[in-house]
Amino acid sequence: MKAVMIVEDDQDIRESMKDFLEGEGFQVLVAENGKTALELLRSLEVAHLPQLIYLDLMMPVMDGVTFRSLQIKEPKLSAVPVVVTSAAPNAAEKLCASPVSAILRKPCDLDELLDAFRLHSKPT
Amino acid sequence: MPLRVRSPIPPHFPVRSRRSKLRHLGVQNLNLAQVWATQFCEAGMGSVVNSSSGVSTGQGNPRIGLALIAPTLGALALYAFLGEPKWEHTLLHSTLEAIGATIAVVLGYLFLKTRSGGTEGHSESTTIWVATALIAMGLLDGFHALIPVNSAFFWSRGLSTLIGGAFFAFVWLPEMFARNWIPYIVMALSLGLGVVLMALPESFPQMFGPGGYTFAAKVINVLGGAGCLAGAVGSLRGRYRWAAPRNLYIASHCALLGVAAILFSISHMWGAVWWFFHLLRFFAYLVLLRFLFAWLEELHVQSLDSVRQDALSKLEAEKDRLRRIFMDAPTPIGMHEGPDHRINFVNRACEEIFGARLSQVIGKSAREMMPGADHIHAQFDRVYKNGETIINDEVPVTFALNREGAPRVRYFKTVFQPTYDGSGKIDGLITYNIELTEQVLARRRLEETGEDLRKAVQSRDEFLSIASHELRTPLSSLKMQLQMGAKATDVERGLTPPPEKIAKVFSVSIRQIQRLDRLIEDLLSVSRIHAGKLAYRIEEVNLAQLVRDVCENHGEILATEKIEVELDLQPDVVGFWDKDRLEQVVVNLLSNSVKYGAGRPILISLRKSAGESAQLAIKDSGIGIEKEKQDKIFDRFERAVSATNISGLGIGLYIARAIVEAHKGTIAVASKLGEGATFTVALPCRPEAPKATEADAS
């Protein structure tokens, strides 16, 4: 089963993505900011880690850039590929220190989400 | 430029020494004997009589008598021992007489022209009589030199002595008898007499017979001699009365002439005594010549003196001018000398810098005046040792307390230059201190303005970035919902999404459109507030009802965010306000509290206070706001937390404040970091019609 994680502070977007991806047959984990996402990932066993993380950048408590920089440092989590979904015009700039697999510009197409998974997800 | 003025007159210039010689001539007690003795030895040799302090002075000096007796005795000795050898030499005689005559006429003429006789200390009548005597005697002597040996030859000699002697003797006359025209009349008469003597040589009685001179000839000459001697004594008297060296020379001259004239009576034509008295006469004229030299020298010194005075006063004036320029220069200039940079010259502008009077500054070393300014002393040393010119820009100098009690910092551009002595060696340094305070402050103001502008631009760019993000967020959600709906719909195969799915797509989409609408409304409000064009429509509003409505409208969000809102509303709070705008205020405050409330309950209370105003308070227990940021949160595009942490435009509170203030109300926040925040709005229930206001003065 395909498993992904959505880290997104906006509830509507989070719910919409979750609905869509579940409809496409994904197992979906959600977190409303980087901190809860990290906590959730740490609590999982390696076998249950998602194959891909959809990460928003501008979030309260812990933003996407911080999340990514911490995630890379954790051996258990670092292998999980990250695709950024952001409305920020300077997303690539912000991420130069913590590279990610791809950056999708909001509002993004649903097909783009699926393509990103196909291209970047970690095979089970 | 070193302000050292050098005297144009070299120090060895003998002004002083010559003056002292003149003083010898004029004031110190020369005596006749000394003059005489010197004249005898040095007449015409160019050396001025030098009165040494060893010479006895005063009246009754026995040497005066000796001086008169000596030539007389000399003549008698010649007469006794040499007998009467005769040596006839007309040319020599004429030469001696002509030289004497020329000297007498020239000097007499100079006396007349200058009316002074060269030195001070004499009366004008003396000058007139002496000049008359010299001219008459000189002219008749001249004719005497020209006339061959005949009757007129003796008469010219006798009359010259008689007339000259008479006028010399006139120095005894009171001043009232002297007239300026007398010398000219006498000059004319003498010329006439001389011409008559030359024209009619044998028309005069003989003065010379086989037995020698006639009695008349002897009487005329002796009388003349007596007059000369009287003149000599008179001049001496003048010398003591007026202390003028001229009188001494004249006395000497007269005495010699007098003795010569008396010797005439015992002489024989071409005899030894006869030549001797001519020699005395010649000496008499050499005395005059000597005086003439001394006088000319004095005139020369005087003119040099006046040239020097002139040069000195010009120099003084120039020095004064330069000094004024230096002293009044608006720029502090100081001159230092020596290895410890002692201040030797500063202008007035320096007083302020040193905070001391100029007189207190001069002579102090740089270290005494500026203790602690080590870098300046090091630079001074470099200038002094290496001859460098050092320029510092914007040196801050702190001045003593000013009237407001604050020390004032002023800025100077300083230029330190070496100064050189006459041999080109560095002997000190000069400092120019050009004040730049105004320019520096102006530039700083400009820099600050630039910084403010830069911040404003940065703030605007940030806002645009946030705004685009905020607008895209509901768009993202909207797009996804519609795409999901579209994916689930297949017209060809007659497939439609289940109704509950369609309902969700619609409700989420509608919510996103509302979010967009609110965002756009907020943006427009900011723009209108900034332009002063936010319009208000006043009506009767029940504020408690308004707050309840807002909470109900946002119930769904509150429910999904799991935030409890507790309402404590006094029901009858009614006022005249713009309902839609007040709703905007409540929505903004509420969404603020939701956003920063950390999911904890929010308390909204409403009271009507005694002063007919509504007090609305919205309290959360969230992250709170730092004290320093509490003032800024009501500004445009300001947020208490960094942009990446919490979404939002940062304009909600700005709009709220603008609307509340337009209603003559106030909005305030009370908060502690980590302990939540309470926003309080106070609104008068019957405000005057709110004006379209510009909340942000900038």
Side-chain angles (χ1 to χ4, degrees):
Chain A
M1 188 158 185
K2 299 176 283 184
V4 293
M5 183 182 209
I6 299 167
V7 187
E8 167 67 61
D9 66 319
D10 189 89
Q11 195 195 356
D12 286 333
I13 296 178
R14 200 164 64 223
E15 293 295 322
S16 300
M17 279 174 82
K18 185 170 185 266
D19 284 355
F20 169 68
L21 290 169
E22 279 175 349
E24 293 293 322
F26 286 86
Q27 189 188 346
V28 180
L29 293 166
V30 290
E32 74 267 18
N33 61 53
K35 188 161 173 273
T36 51
L38 267 184
E39 283 163 1
L40 181 56
L41 287 170
R42 281 173 192 148
S43 69
L44 293 173
E45 287 172 29
V46 179
H48 294 115
L49 285 176
Q51 291 162 270
L52 185 80
I53 299 171
Y54 293 106
L55 178 68
D56 185 25
L57 287 188
M58 285 165 80
M59 292 180 292
V61 187
M62 183 192 288
D63 64 18
V65 177
T66 314
F67 167 81
R68 176 62 179 158
S69 67
L70 293 174
Q71 183 231 336
I72 288 176
K73 283 181 200 152
E74 295 198 21
K76 181 179 138 190
L77 309 180
S78 63
V80 182
V82 169
V83 169
V84 162
T85 60
S86 176
N90 53 348
E93 218 174 285
K94 288 177 174 177
L95 284 162
C96 62
S98 321
V100 293
S101 301
I103 298 172
L104 301 183
R105 187 78 184 274
K106 277 184 185 168
C108 42
D109 281 339
L110 296 176
D111 290 338
E112 282 181 313
L113 294 175
L114 297 178
D115 288 346
F117 181 83
R118 208 166 40 245
L119 286 172
H120 304 295
S121 64
K122 191 181 144 201
T124 42
Chain B
M1 184 190 69
L3 289 168
R4 189 171 299 141
V5 180
R6 192 167 276 183
S7 162
I9 300 170
H12 58 267
F13 189 75
V15 174
R16 191 169 294 276
S17 63
R18 299 225 173 174
R19 276 191 144 182
S20 66
K21 266 186 194 170
L22 281 177
R23 211 176 300 121
H24 284 312
L25 286 175
V27 179
Q28 297 207 347
N29 294 312
L30 278 185
N31 59 59
L32 187 61
Q34 192 190 4
V35 174
W36 252 38
T38 317
Q39 302 315 326
F40 268 86
C41 303
E42 316 181 328
M45 306 299 237
S47 160
V48 180
V49 178
N50 189 6
S51 160
S52 70
S53 54
V55 177
S56 59
T57 57
Q59 284 167 305
N61 189 325
R63 275 190 265 181
I64 295 176
L66 190 70
L68 287 171
I69 290 161
T72 314
L73 291 177
L76 290 174
L78 281 172
Y79 187 74
F81 295 108
L82 292 178
E84 278 297 310
K86 293 202 177 150
W87 184 54
E88 185 176 338
H89 201 299
T90 324
L91 184 60
L92 178 62
H93 170 261
S94 293
T95 306
L96 289 176
E97 293 292 348
I99 290 170
T102 309
I103 293 169
V105 170
V106 167
L107 198 61
Y109 178 75
L110 284 177
F111 277 9
L112 277 185
K113 285 309 275 184
T114 61
R115 289 256 175 262
S116 72
T119 49
E120 293 162 14
H122 51 79
S123 69
E124 195 171 317
S125 88
T126 316
T127 304
I128 288 172
W129 297 130
V130 169
T132 309
L134 286 173
I135 287 168
M137 194 177 250
L139 286 173
L140 289 171
D141 279 348
F143 285 112
H144 177 63
L146 295 173
I147 295 169
V149 181
N150 55 29
S151 175
F153 175 84
F154 296 103
W155 275 98
S156 60
R157 150 66 53 248
L159 287 175
S160 154
T161 307
L162 187 64
I163 295 170
F167 282 111
F168 276 131
F170 282 0
V171 299
W172 286 96
L173 286 179
E175 294 198 16
M176 55 183 286
F177 293 104
R179 295 286 182 276
N180 284 338
W181 45 262
I182 291 174
Y184 300 99
I185 296 295
V186 173
M187 190 194 300
L189 289 175
S190 301
L191 275 171
L193 185 60
V195 170
V196 170
L197 284 169
M198 280 193 80
L200 308 165
E202 298 300 340
S203 314
F204 299 90
Q206 281 296 334
M207 279 190 162
F208 187 72
Y213 298 117
T214 61
F215 180 70
K218 287 180 181 174
V219 168
I220 287 173
N221 277 285
V222 169
L223 276 177
C228 285
L229 289 176
V233 178
S235 289
L236 266 187
R237 182 196 63 145
R239 182 251 175 286
Y240 287 110
R241 196 193 268 177
W242 295 294
R246 189 197 73 182
N247 296 315
L248 210 55
Y249 283 94
I250 299 299
S252 178
H253 175 72
C254 289
L256 284 167
L257 283 183
V259 171
I262 289 162
L263 285 179
F264 173 88
S265 59
I266 59 163
S267 70
H268 291 94
M269 189 73 175
W270 307 119
V273 176
W274 189 86
W275 279 113
F276 184 70
F277 90 69
H278 275 93
L279 200 61
L280 289 185
R281 285 177 55 79
F282 185 65
F283 278 144
Y285 286 113
L286 286 183
V287 169
L288 283 191
L289 193 63
R290 187 69 206 86
F291 169 67
L292 190 59
F293 285 150
W295 183 18
L296 289 177
E297 191 180 334
E298 188 196 331
L299 285 177
H300 174 65
V301 169
Q302 272 178 356
S303 82
L304 273 184
D305 226 33
S306 83
V307 166
R308 185 172 155 273
Q309 279 300 330
D310 231 42
L312 270 179
S313 64
K314 268 189 196 151
L315 212 64
E316 278 298 318
E318 184 67 11
K319 201 173 130 192
D320 213 53
R321 208 165 63 90
L322 288 174
R323 191 184 156 76
R324 259 204 321 276
I325 292 172
F326 177 81
M327 291 307 282
D328 298 344
T331 292
I333 304 172
M335 292 183 76
H336 303 251
E337 64 182 354
D340 56 351
H341 320 299
R342 247 159 230 295
I343 297 166
N344 64 0
F345 210 32
V346 285
N347 66 356
R348 266 189 280 279
C350 284
E351 279 189 345
E352 213 182 337
I353 285 198
F354 291 124
R357 309 289 304 167
L358 291 183
S359 53
Q360 299 171 310
V361 172
I362 304 283
K364 294 249 170 79
S365 74
R367 267 174 217 284
E368 281 175 279
M369 284 317 297
M370 299 175 279
D374 288 336
H375 63 292
I376 293 203
H377 301 141
Q379 290 189 344
F380 278 11
D381 288 341
R382 269 165 59 202
V383 174
Y384 186 76
K385 282 183 191 135
N386 313 336
E388 288 175 59
T389 292
I390 296 179
I391 299 170
N392 300 301
D393 271 317
E394 283 187 36
V395 179
V397 180
T398 306
F399 286 83
L401 302 182
N402 63 12
R403 254 180 251 124
E404 285 79 43
R408 192 177 159 222
V409 178
R410 287 161 63 183
Y411 297 88
F412 291 88
K413 173 178 186 162
T414 63
V415 181
F416 304 151
Q417 280 178 351
T419 58
Y420 300 90
D421 64 11
S423 63
K425 223 181 111 218
I426 295 171
D427 63 353
L429 54 98
I430 184 163
T431 67
Y432 303 94
N433 307 282
I434 302 141
E435 175 145 22
L436 299 174
T437 308
E438 290 298 317
Q439 291 91 319
V440 170
L441 294 184
R443 198 197 61 225
R444 292 205 175 161
R445 278 196 294 272
L446 214 64
E447 282 169 358
E448 277 164 20
T449 312
E451 180 63 15
D452 289 349
L453 282 174
R454 202 184 57 74
K455 276 187 187 157
V457 169
Q458 193 188 358
S459 173
R460 193 203 59 191
D461 288 349
E462 222 166 79
F463 171 75
L464 286 176
S465 157
I466 291 166
S468 73
H469 177 267
E470 290 300 302
L471 287 168
R472 277 194 177 121
T473 301
L475 272 183
S476 287
S477 193
L478 187 59
K479 190 174 171 184
M480 278 183 208
Q481 289 298 329
L482 294 178
Q483 278 183 342
M484 274 194 283
K487 271 180 185 289
T489 309
D490 189 332
V491 180
E492 280 176 22
R493 286 198 274 167
L495 284 177
T496 51
E500 63 272 21
K501 183 118 188 170
I502 295 175
K504 189 167 186 193
V505 166
F506 284 161
S507 81
V508 173
S509 296
I510 287 167
R511 202 161 61 235
Q512 302 316 313
I513 287 165
Q514 282 170 342
R515 278 174 75 182
L516 279 172
D517 183 48
R518 208 165 52 243
L519 277 168
I520 291 165
E521 180 58 35
D522 276 358
L523 285 174
L524 283 176
S525 296
V526 169
S527 159
R528 285 195 194 119
I529 289 166
H530 191 53
K533 284 178 186 163
L534 195 62
Y536 296 91
R537 198 160 40 85
I538 301 300
E539 58 188 318
E540 200 177 79
V541 179
N542 184 327
L543 193 52
Q545 188 57 47
L546 186 144
V547 172
R548 256 192 296 273
D549 288 347
V550 168
C551 290
E552 267 168 37
N553 291 342
H554 288 72
E556 202 178 335
I557 296 178
L558 295 169
T560 51
E561 299 272 346
K562 297 186 194 78
I563 292 170
E564 241 176 77
V565 175
E566 195 182 322
L567 298 179
D568 174 17
L569 310 174
Q570 195 176 321
D572 57 341
V573 182
V574 177
F576 288 85
W577 302 300
D578 182 316
K579 187 166 179 267
D580 291 344
R581 298 290 174 218
L582 277 195
E583 200 176 298
Q584 216 173 343
V585 171
V586 176
V587 167
N588 284 347
L589 291 177
L590 182 60
S591 50
N592 227 41
S593 292
V594 169
K595 214 183 288 171
Y596 299 103
R600 297 193 190 110
I602 296 166
L603 172 68
I604 303 179
S605 66
L606 179 66
R607 291 280 175 280
K608 191 169 187 175
S609 74
E612 283 296 295
S613 84
Q615 305 280 338
L616 176 71
I618 300 179
K619 183 179 186 304
D620 69 65
S621 305
I623 56 175
I625 306 159
E626 282 174 64
K627 192 89 196 151
E628 302 84 61
K629 289 187 176 166
Q630 289 179 11
D631 292 339
K632 293 179 77 185
I633 55 170
F634 294 103
D635 289 344
R636 203 156 43 135
F637 312 146
E638 286 290 347
R639 300 182 325 163
V641 286
S642 72
T644 50
N645 279 343
I646 303 263
S647 62
L649 291 172
I651 54 176
L653 289 176
Y654 170 74
I655 294 168
R657 185 184 68 168
I659 292 169
V660 169
E661 286 180 355
H663 285 88
K664 306 288 173 209
T666 56
I667 185 165
V669 65
S671 175
K672 267 188 186 169
L673 197 60
E675 293 181 18
T678 305
F679 285 87
T680 317
V681 173
L683 282 172
C685 292
R686 284 184 174 275
E688 294 158 37
K691 279 182 213 152
T693 30
E694 191 185 351
D696 188 354
S698 68

